[in-house]
Amino acid sequence: MEVHPAGDARDQASICAVRPGTDLGRHARMLSRLHEAALSGDKAPGRARSLVARSWDRVRAQGVDPDAGDPPGPLDAGTVERRRSESPLVPVLPALRSALTSVAEDARHVMVVTDADGVLLWREGSTAVRRRADTLGFTEGADWSETSVGTNAIGTALAEGGPVQIFSAEHFVRSHHGWTCTAAPVHDPRSGELLGVVDVSGPAETIHPTTVALVDTAVRLAEAGLWHRHEARLDALRTIGAPMLARTCGPGLVVDDHGWVAAATGLPAVERVAVPAADRLLAVHGLGPCLPEPVPGGWLLRPAGAAGAQRMRLSLELDGRPPNAVVEGTGRWVHALSTRHAEVLVLLASAGAGGLDAAALSEGLYGDRAHLVTVRAEMSRLRRRLGGILLARPYRVAPEVELDLAGLAHSRLVRESTAPGVAALARD
């Protein structure tokens, strides 16, 4: 697991905006004078913290107005819901809520989770503080990146790539001076990719140095939860991959969509390879160039042109309850499907190599293009089950997979379907 080294007391002290015992009123007045001097060019009564000074330089260069009102937006409810459904932080929300929400309520704070763009997706905590936050546009769907609203814990954590605490007039926009906020970025432990930011915000007088450690702990718990889910998915893929490799001749690997190895044979231990993709040779140390073959939950990697390589075949059994997707190649797997997932596969199989985007799938399933959030969520779940067999942008069956469409139009599921695009197949 990729982890971020625990900050020692000195590191946390450099992140904290105030020291224990600080006279908050006096410190806020000094920061206000620093802020005004920085904007006017007058002689400053001291120096801002280095991370604050860097942020002020960035936002001034970006043309942020210190007297700006609410941030642009917010995004409409449908767009916010789509971003929520696609957020990789959804599985760890319960852990974040458990660690922070009750504390935020007791301490007159709100707990906020954003995406990697700094757009607020979830906001929980003190009702009174949420109402006060509404007056600043600190609401779901609002963009709190530095480019949008200047120096603030969320945007500055994104820009700095680490935890940040901002107090009073350290905020660049004057209307934010009555607030304090503490934020830390969440990274994907598999790849280091930035996934979003966790923030705790409240009135300036509620600032406390221990909030930095609290938010940092919550983020570490979230990243540990993401890693445990990754391990569970690898274990599930291993149950498929190990028997598959045992039946093949020569060396090979079974990996997930991120290149993490679930099973291997005939080569030294390897933990990860590059991210596989259909129609693209992948160089693997010890194997040479490999053409990834999609398997349920991931990819089979064997040397290009390896003897015994078989083309994958996907067929749909649509007369049973439940319907099944049958994948055949190096092995044979039967996946029970919900009716909706079976209808999705029918539409994708019928679309051919061109595939369908979310809007076209929505029209085929519901008769309109208004169900994009639902479609994307269903596709995310289906692709987790079938791995490299289904590709995205647009959604389609991988070109290496042969489709068996025999009897599709006459199946029970197609005949009884209420999905307009599926029912049309029976009529045709």
Side-chain angles (χ1 to χ4, degrees):
M1 173 180 177
E2 295 183 21
V3 295
H4 306 290
D8 59 22
R10 183 178 58 188
D11 293 331
Q12 291 201 352
S14 68
I15 296 165
C16 294
V18 299
R19 297 177 180 176
T22 298
D23 182 327
L24 296 181
R26 180 178 180 182
H27 188 52
R29 290 190 292 273
M30 186 275 291
L31 290 173
S32 182
R33 292 195 296 272
L34 277 178
H35 183 271
E36 293 306 316
L39 295 179
S40 65
D42 294 340
K43 183 178 180 180
R47 289 190 300 177
R49 289 188 295 148
S50 57
L51 76 85
V52 173
R54 289 194 300 270
S55 177
W56 285 357
D57 288 342
R58 284 194 300 267
V59 301
R60 281 187 295 184
Q62 292 161 353
V64 177
D65 182 359
D67 294 309
D70 292 352
L75 301 176
D76 63 85
T79 303
V80 172
E81 189 55 40
R82 175 180 63 79
R83 287 186 177 233
R84 284 175 173 170
S85 69
E86 295 177 350
S87 171
L89 296 180
V90 169
V92 294
L93 275 179
L96 291 172
R97 287 172 173 139
S98 176
L100 294 177
T101 300
S102 62
V103 176
E105 290 174 346
D106 293 340
R108 294 167 54 210
H109 284 80
V110 290
M111 186 271 286
V112 161
V113 179
T114 82
D115 62 15
D117 297 323
V119 174
L120 272 66
L121 299 183
W122 293 277
R123 186 184 65 154
E124 301 175 6
S126 167
T127 301
V129 177
R130 288 205 307 270
R131 286 197 294 264
R132 183 171 169 181
D134 290 343
T135 65
L136 296 178
F138 194 58
T139 60
E140 292 86 342
D143 176 2
W144 276 70
S145 63
E146 279 192 342
T147 304
S148 178
V149 295
T151 305
N152 72 96
I154 292 169
T156 304
L158 289 172
E160 294 279 330
V164 170
Q165 186 174 57
I166 300 294
F167 171 68
S168 187
E170 290 181 328
H171 290 91
F172 188 73
V173 175
R174 290 187 174 92
S175 60
H176 303 165
H177 287 185
W179 287 79
T180 182
C181 47
T182 305
V186 184
H187 294 88
D188 188 328
R190 300 168 301 181
S191 63
E193 176 190 2
L194 175 67
L195 304 180
V197 170
V198 176
D199 169 84
V200 171
S201 292
E205 65 271 16
T206 64
I207 189 172
H208 199 285
T210 59
T211 308
V212 172
L214 179 65
V215 173
D216 181 63
T217 298
V219 166
R220 290 171 187 269
L221 287 172
E223 291 177 345
L226 292 170
W227 181 258
H228 291 325
R229 286 178 60 84
H230 161 67
E231 289 182 320
R233 286 192 292 268
L234 277 185
D235 285 342
L237 181 56
R238 194 167 291 120
T239 63
I240 293 174
M244 178 192 312
L245 292 173
R247 293 192 298 268
T248 62
C249 298
L253 299 168
V254 174
V255 303
D256 71 3
D257 281 340
H258 294 269
W260 289 90
V261 177
T265 186
L267 70 164
V270 58
E271 185 177 47
R272 192 180 183 191
V273 300
V275 176
D279 289 330
R280 188 179 72 194
L281 284 173
L282 181 70
V284 177
H285 180 67
L287 287 182
C290 297
L291 184 63
E293 303 172 46
V295 298
W299 302 85
L300 171 64
L301 304 180
R302 289 186 292 173
Q310 291 179 272
R311 185 171 173 82
M312 303 297 291
R313 184 168 176 267
L314 172 65
S315 57
L316 301 177
E317 297 177 345
L318 303 178
D319 288 319
R321 297 182 188 271
N324 294 318
V326 180
V327 182
E328 297 175 280
T330 307
R332 185 178 188 273
W333 305 273
V334 179
H335 297 272
L337 302 169
S338 67
T339 298
R340 181 59 78 205
H341 283 173
E343 290 172 334
V344 167
L345 287 176
V346 167
L347 291 173
L348 293 179
S350 303
L356 299 170
D357 61 16
L361 270 176
S362 176
E363 192 164 7
L365 294 171
Y366 302 100
D368 59 45
R369 299 195 166 208
H371 293 74
L372 300 185
V373 172
T374 302
V375 165
R376 291 188 178 106
E378 293 290 357
M379 287 304 305
S380 178
R381 286 189 283 269
L382 186 55
R383 292 186 69 222
R384 277 200 296 270
R385 296 201 65 195
L386 297 182
I389 291 170
L390 293 182
L391 306 180
R393 299 179 184 175
Y395 299 118
R396 64 200 187 280
V397 178
E400 294 80 15
V401 178
E402 177 185 335
L403 285 170
D404 179 1
L405 305 181
L408 193 71
H410 304 293
S411 64
R412 177 194 58 78
L413 183 139
V414 170
R415 293 196 313 272
E416 297 177 1
S417 177
T418 58
V422 176
L425 295 175
R427 294 193 298 271
D428 294 343

